[in-house]
């Protein structure tokens, strides 16, 4: 039962002591974007080395490429257009610029990754769980600095800000649906491992990225 408006606050000192959110500096944003993208690139290396699939718009673009024969780059660009528009309209210019920077940096790191990181042996289930946790931590860093890698992450952040839905749960549901669609072209064991990776990734976000839990801006 809700309390009466006349009921005094039983913990006025606690309420008064709550600090205001402090905006991140440009330097902090830059370090965070590099840190988050580097972690994500390592997680991607785990997935690709074990032959697993990814979720998000990248996974959707790959599925459409396999089904239609249209180039991955063209499909990835088209699939992401609504999300970039959403980012600019609903989440602001700063968020959109940081997202573009993160996308470009990830493209560069994934191209150079094989020169710095190679696996002689990698068990698929371990790769799925470890890669998912590492990638989820990278996304968490980006999200807490009002940044993403486009695609589903943009929509998840918008829905969390607008309706209070947890970004991690939204992204987990979408990623699992995209990976399940791969059953048309990929053997079930690889799909099952990919789902385990998607769940591990998004559990990090569902547990740690909740509205009101983090005060950074």
């Amino acid at each position: 039962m809700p309390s009466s408006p006349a009921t005094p606050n039983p913990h006025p000192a606690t309420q008064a002591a709550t600090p205001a959110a402090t905006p991140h500096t440009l330097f902090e944003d830059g370090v965070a974007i590099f840190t988050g993208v580097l972690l994500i690139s390592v997680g991607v290396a785990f997935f690709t080395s074990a032959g697993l699939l990814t979720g998000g718009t990248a996974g959707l673009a790959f599925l459409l490429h396999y089904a239609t024969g249209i180039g991955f780059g063209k499909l990835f660009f088209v699939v992401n257009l609504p999300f970039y528009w959403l980012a600019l309209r609903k989440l602001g210019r700063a968020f959109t610029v940081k997202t573009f920077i993160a996308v470009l940096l990830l493209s560069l790191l994934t191209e150079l990754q094989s020169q710095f990181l190679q696996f002689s042996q990698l068990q698929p289930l371990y790769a799925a769980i470890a890669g998912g946790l590492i990638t989820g931590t990278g996304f968490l860093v980006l999200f807490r600095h009002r940044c993403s890698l486009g695609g589903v992450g943009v929509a998840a952040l918008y829905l969390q800000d607008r309706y209070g839905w947890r970004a991690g749960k939204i992204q987990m549901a979408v990623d699992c649906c995209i990976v399940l669609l791969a059953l048309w072209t990929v053997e079930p064991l690889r799909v099952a491992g990919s789902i385990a990776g998607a769940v591990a990734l998004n559990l990090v976000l569902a547990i740690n990225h909740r509205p009101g839990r983090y005060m950074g801006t």
Side-chain angles (χ1 to χ4, degrees):
M1 179 181 296
S3 60
S4 168
T7 302
N9 183 359
H11 303 291
T14 302
Q15 187 177 45
T18 302
T22 302
H24 292 119
T25 65
L26 287 176
F27 176 76
E28 291 172 338
D29 281 340
V31 172
I33 290 173
F34 179 78
T35 301
V37 172
L38 182 62
L39 288 172
I40 292 169
S41 70
V42 173
V44 169
F46 272 71
F47 289 136
T48 55
S49 296
L52 302 175
L53 303 171
T54 60
T57 49
L60 182 58
F62 269 119
L63 291 177
L64 291 174
H65 166 67
Y66 296 145
T68 65
I70 300 174
F72 170 80
K74 295 177 182 178
L75 291 169
F76 187 69
F77 177 78
V78 172
V79 168
N80 272 294
L81 282 178
F83 298 104
Y84 291 132
W85 175 86
L86 178 65
L88 188 60
R89 290 289 302 273
K90 302 297 184 180
L91 297 174
R93 181 176 298 178
F95 175 89
T96 306
V97 170
K98 287 188 285 188
T99 295
F100 275 122
I101 293 173
V103 170
L104 291 174
L105 181 58
L106 182 63
S107 299
L108 177 62
L109 287 177
T110 51
E111 287 293 323
L112 299 175
Q113 193 74 272
S114 61
Q115 300 181 26
F116 307 110
L117 183 64
Q118 297 181 6
F119 302 100
S120 59
Q121 183 178 359
L122 192 60
Q123 205 277 337
L125 182 59
Y126 174 84
I129 296 174
L133 293 176
I134 293 170
T135 304
T137 303
F139 273 112
L140 180 64
V141 174
L142 294 182
F143 284 0
R144 287 188 168 180
H145 284 258
R146 300 298 296 169
C147 178
S148 79
L149 286 175
V152 178
V154 172
L157 282 178
Y158 168 69
L159 291 173
Q160 177 168 284
D161 290 348
R162 181 67 176 83
Y163 300 106
W165 301 349
R166 292 187 190 175
K169 289 185 176 180
I170 297 169
Q171 192 151 324
M172 182 188 295
V174 174
D175 284 355
C176 287
C177 288
I178 291 173
V179 172
L180 282 173
L181 289 174
L183 283 170
W184 294 98
T185 57
V186 179
E187 58 269 23
L189 284 179
R190 284 177 58 194
V191 173
S194 301
I195 292 175
V199 171
L201 187 162
N202 290 289
L203 275 177
V204 175
L205 300 179
I207 293 172
N208 296 284
H209 192 65
R210 300 183 185 181
R213 170 161 286 184
Y214 183 69
M215 298 187 65
T217 59

